[in-house]
């Protein structure tokens, strides 16, 4: 069962439902919408950007629209999907502070775990969502956007406060979060730390010092994002290595190949050949 809100004037879309919403992703494809997948009472198996994941009960997975997603199995799931016309993450980042954390990050795939108290709070919020979807009046759109903002804020807070080993680097402070967001926006054109340092009104040295207590430098994060996109295109398109390199801002495909092998120990062609065993 699923419910859909649409707004003709803005082309806004909000989907709220269950596993039925995920049935069209029986094979890997871009998810197409900002998406939350919430395993309620039993595990959910999915593949995100070629990585198999099992969501345990009471875990929520956050997906950016461009990520490749495959639904493998599971039934007890709640799904929220929306487009940028319904709620623009970039425009509302000052309100919800999730860009580079829930969305547009690349260090980890964001998974939020709900404790017993949070399970109850999120269940109540979901019931309010369902009730509002049935209330068709002039303020319905604004009410639904407010509820989505609340859901995003709550999941962002939980992710920031996570203390387990998957705590994302980008959630640790605003400099890292904003850096991650800038990388997502510009990584296809800009590969140098100096560009991002200037955008953040910092010197490259100062920016690097901001990362000194973390496991990865700014340059490593830029390279990680480039390699992630290369993997996506190798897995899910028929582009040649030369075409992929050009798309990601490399004039010479050999430069991308060297970077890719340094990060993965495989050449792009070796990675693509090996991935056919699993995709």
């Amino acid at each position: 069962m699923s419910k859909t809100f649409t707004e003709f004037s803005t082309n806004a879309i909000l989907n709220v439902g269950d596993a039925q919403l995920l049935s069209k992703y029986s094979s890997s494809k871009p998810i197409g919408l900002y998406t939350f997948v919430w395993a309620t009472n039993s595990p959910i198996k999915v593949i995100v950007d070629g990585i198999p994941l099992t969501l345990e009960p009471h875990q929520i997975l956050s997906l950016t629209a461009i990520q490749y997603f495959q639904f493998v199995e599971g039934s007890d799931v709640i799904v929220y999907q929306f487009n940028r016309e319904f709620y623009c993450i970039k425009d509302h980042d000052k309100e919800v502070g999730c860009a580079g954390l829930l969305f547009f990050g690349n260090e980890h795939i964001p998974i939020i775990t709900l404790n017993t108290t949070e399970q109850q709070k999120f269940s109540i919020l979901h019931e309010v969502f369902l009730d509002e979807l049935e209330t068709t009046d002039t303020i319905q759109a604004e009410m639904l956007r407010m509820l989505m903002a609340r859901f995003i804020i709550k999941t962002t807070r939980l992710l920031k406060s996570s203390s387990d080993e998957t705590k994302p680097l980008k959630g640790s402070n605003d400099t890292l979060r904003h850096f991650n967001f800038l990388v997502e926006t510009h990584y296809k054109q800009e590969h140098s730390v100096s560009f991002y340092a200037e955008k953040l009104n910092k010197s490259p040295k100062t920016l690097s010092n901001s990362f000194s207590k973390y496991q990865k430098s700014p340059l490593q994060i830029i390279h990680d994002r480039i390699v992630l996109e290369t993997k996506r295109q190798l897995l899910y398109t028929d582009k040649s290595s030369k075409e992929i390199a050009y798309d990601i801002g490399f004039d010479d495909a050999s430069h991308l190949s060297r970077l890719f092998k340094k990060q993965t120990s495989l050449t792009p062609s070796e990675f693509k050949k090996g991935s056919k065993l699993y995709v």
Side-chain angles (χ1 to χ4, degrees), residues 96 101 150 152-162:
V96 296
L101 184 60
R150 180 169 177 77
I152 292 171
I153 289 169
K154 286 177 68 64
T155 50
T156 300
R157 283 175 175 169
L158 289 173
L159 197 58
K160 283 183 174 180
S161 64
S162 171

Side-chain angles (χ1 to χ4, degrees), residues 11-267:
N11 295 318
I13 297 172
L14 169 68
N15 298 322
V16 179
D18 53 22
Q20 178 184 338
L21 281 176
L22 303 180
S23 61
K24 62 183 176 181
Y25 302 102
S26 57
S27 60
S28 289
K29 63 179 71 175
I31 192 77
L33 298 166
Y34 296 106
T35 300
F36 290 102
V37 179
W38 174 4
T40 54
N41 297 311
S42 61
I44 303 294
K45 292 186 177 181
V46 300
I47 299 175
V48 179
D49 289 331
I51 301 173
L53 296 173
T54 298
L55 292 182
E56 299 299 335
H58 313 301
Q59 288 189 327
I60 299 173
L61 168 69
S62 173
L63 298 166
T64 304
I66 63 172
Q67 288 184 280
Y68 280 78
F69 176 80
Q70 181 178 351
F71 179 55
V72 179
E73 64 180 25
S75 57
D76 296 325
V77 59
I78 293 172
V79 181
Y80 297 96
Q81 292 186 307
F82 59 95
N83 61 4
R84 67 180 305 275
E85 288 79 10
F86 175 78
Y87 197 88
C88 182
I89 298 300
K90 293 181 181 180
D91 289 350
H92 292 280
D93 187 54
K94 288 185 178 179
E95 301 169 16
V96 296
C98 67
L101 184 60
L102 283 179
F103 305 108
F104 307 117
N106 65 83
E107 180 69 11
H108 292 288
I109 297 171
I111 296 176
I112 301 95
T113 300
L114 305 181
N115 61 28
T116 303
T117 301
E118 294 299 335
Q119 290 168 29
Q120 183 178 12
K121 291 179 180 178
F122 274 75
S123 293
I124 292 171
L125 181 56
H126 179 63
E127 291 302 318
V128 177
F129 254 118
L130 295 179
D131 181 65
E132 195 58 43
L133 282 164
E134 298 290 342
T135 308
T136 55
D137 57 21
T138 57
I139 63 170
Q140 183 190 29
E142 188 59 28
M143 284 293 293
L144 288 170
R145 288 188 176 95
M146 288 172 60
L147 290 170
M148 181 52 66
R150 180 169 177 77
F151 187 94
I152 292 171
I153 289 169
K154 286 177 68 64
T155 50
T156 300
R157 283 175 175 169
L158 289 173
L159 197 58
K160 283 183 174 180
S161 64
S162 171
S163 59
D164 62 30
E165 64 182 8
T166 63
K167 181 175 181 178
L169 169 66
K170 50 198 164 293
S172 300
N173 66 43
D174 282 342
T175 297
L176 305 186
R177 190 174 70 82
H178 292 156
F179 176 79
N180 230 27
F181 182 54
L182 286 171
V183 170
E184 181 64 34
T185 305
H186 300 286
Y187 75 92
K188 286 189 176 184
Q189 297 81 33
E190 302 293 343
H191 303 162
S192 68
V193 174
S194 59
F195 170 84
Y196 299 98
E198 182 178 352
K199 286 285 186 181
L200 292 168
N201 297 314
K202 298 178 182 291
S203 70
K205 183 177 180 180
T206 299
L207 181 61
S208 294
N209 287 340
S210 299
F211 286 69
S212 60
K213 61 182 178 180
Y214 303 107
Q215 294 181 349
K216 294 193 176 182
S217 68
L219 185 61
Q220 287 174 308
I221 290 177
I222 296 168
H223 287 172
D224 281 352
R225 185 62 186 90
I226 292 168
V227 168
L228 174 60
E229 182 61 23
T230 304
K231 286 181 176 179
R232 284 176 178 166
Q233 296 199 29
L234 288 168
L235 283 170
Y236 303 117
T237 76
D238 294 323
K239 289 182 179 179
S240 67
S241 295
K242 185 175 181 180
E243 289 172 320
I244 294 171
Y246 181 76
D247 180 63
I248 305 177
F250 289 84
D251 293 330
D252 188 338
S254 66
H255 293 166
L256 176 60
S257 182
R258 285 196 295 271
L259 171 61
F260 191 88
K261 185 167 185 177
K262 182 179 179 181
Q263 296 283 98
T264 67
S265 300
L266 298 171
T267 66

